[in-house]
Amino acid sequence: MTGVGLLVVLTIASIANAFTTSDLSPFDGIVSSVIDPDSIDSSIDSKLREDGILEAAKQLSLLLKVQQKQTADLQMIVDKQNCGCKVKRYLRSQNYPLFSWGFNQNGEAYIMKKLGYRQFRLVSPGLTGQNNTVSFESVDYPDHYLRHLGSQLFLENVQSPRDPQMFDKDATFHIRQNKWFPHFNAYETVNYPNRFIRHKGYRLRIDRYKNTDLYRKDASFQTVLKPE
């Protein structure tokens, strides 16, 4: 083997070792399921036998570019989930599709028909700052958020809420995507595990999970740009 050939082999080994031992957190178990380092080694050996050292180096370079793009794409997904976004949406009921979230003049939250439903900013992460959470800010009344109090949901001003020590937690919910139905999310309170936002008698409230079809439908909501 020439000096150049030996240098290329050593370079391939160095790159492959860095690739297979690099820290891909938070993507462990995701990227590795797409590209198997063992298959890369096998591919390199095959290319060394069939096409020579330079062709093997070219194939490894292409594989590394694919891995880098997939890592960047996954990072973008994580960033979007925790971006401090304020997306404006309506929240439509699963079992009452003509009804979406709204509130009356007293700030009491209900599912309502067209003249009553309201648009909310989905602030993520929520007011507690936890990842994969959301808080619901009124578009009509900035700085007013939905929070649970005595098991029912109310719209309150973040500057002057009742029980202010608990406000951030009461107004923050874990996002459970496609929890029970495709394209419909459930929202679990951060301070009362296993309690979800649901409607009951049209009133929005939090209730402990019950293993019934009615509960799952009452607690499932779809975020839409505009209800039909």
Side-chain angles (χ1 to χ4, degrees):
M1 180 179 292
T2 67
V4 173
L6 178 60
L7 177 60
V8 173
V9 170
L10 291 175
T11 302
I12 292 172
S14 176
I15 295 174
N17 180 67
F19 174 76
T20 56
T21 59
S22 62
D23 182 7
L24 298 180
S25 178
F27 313 117
D28 294 342
I30 302 177
V31 172
S32 61
S33 68
V34 180
I35 300 178
D36 181 3
D38 293 335
S39 69
I40 294 176
D41 293 339
S42 175
S43 175
I44 293 171
D45 290 339
S46 175
K47 286 296 179 183
L48 281 170
R49 290 192 299 271
E50 296 174 7
D51 302 318
I53 295 170
L54 294 179
E55 181 62 25
K58 183 187 297 184
Q59 293 299 317
L60 178 58
S61 176
L62 290 174
L63 288 169
L64 289 174
K65 288 180 180 178
V66 171
Q67 183 269 334
Q68 289 167 355
K69 183 179 185 304
Q70 290 170 335
T71 300
D73 290 344
L74 288 167
Q75 182 65 60
M76 184 181 298
I77 292 171
V78 172
D79 290 343
K80 285 183 177 180
Q81 290 177 340
N82 304 292
C83 64
C85 298
K86 292 188 177 184
V87 179
K88 297 178 182 179
R89 292 291 186 273
Y90 295 91
L91 289 104
R92 181 167 60 192
S93 167
Q94 193 276 343
N95 51 351
Y96 287 80
L98 297 180
F99 289 72
S100 295
W101 290 13
F103 50 86
N104 61 21
Q105 65 272 21
N106 297 320
E108 299 167 339
Y110 290 84
I111 57 168
M112 297 178 164
K113 284 190 174 181
K114 187 172 182 179
L115 295 178
Y117 54 59
R118 304 297 185 94
Q119 196 175 35
F120 292 89
R121 291 186 180 91
L122 278 59
V123 181
S124 183
L127 295 181
T128 62
Q130 296 166 260
N131 289 340
N132 301 317
T133 62
V134 64
S135 293
F136 303 99
E137 181 186 15
S138 169
V139 171
D140 299 319
Y141 299 94
D143 293 329
H144 287 68
Y145 291 81
L146 289 180
R147 59 91 58 95
H148 63 82
L149 186 68
S151 296
Q152 297 184 322
L153 262 62
F154 296 89
L155 188 74
E156 292 195 357
N157 192 329
V158 69
Q159 304 297 332
S160 56
R162 290 173 287 178
D163 197 4
Q165 295 82 3
M166 296 298 298
F167 182 81
D168 286 358
K169 289 184 178 180
D170 289 350
T172 303
F173 302 86
H174 294 292
I175 306 168
R176 305 307 187 195
Q177 295 183 331
N178 307 309
K179 176 71 172 174
W180 297 299
F181 303 96
H183 311 300
F184 287 85
N185 297 337
Y187 300 100
E188 182 181 8
T189 63
V190 299
N191 49 350
Y192 290 94
N194 209 34
R195 293 177 185 267
F196 296 83
I197 297 177
R198 69 173 296 191
H199 64 82
K200 189 174 184 180
Y202 302 105
R203 187 76 164 89
L204 287 173
R205 54 183 294 115
I206 60 165
D207 271 348
R208 185 182 298 278
Y209 173 71
K210 297 177 182 177
N211 187 23
T212 67
D213 189 53
L214 177 62
Y215 181 98
R216 288 186 285 270
K217 289 181 177 179
D218 286 351
S220 296
F221 303 94
Q222 185 178 42
T223 56
V224 294
L225 287 172
K226 185 177 181 180
E228 297 176 357

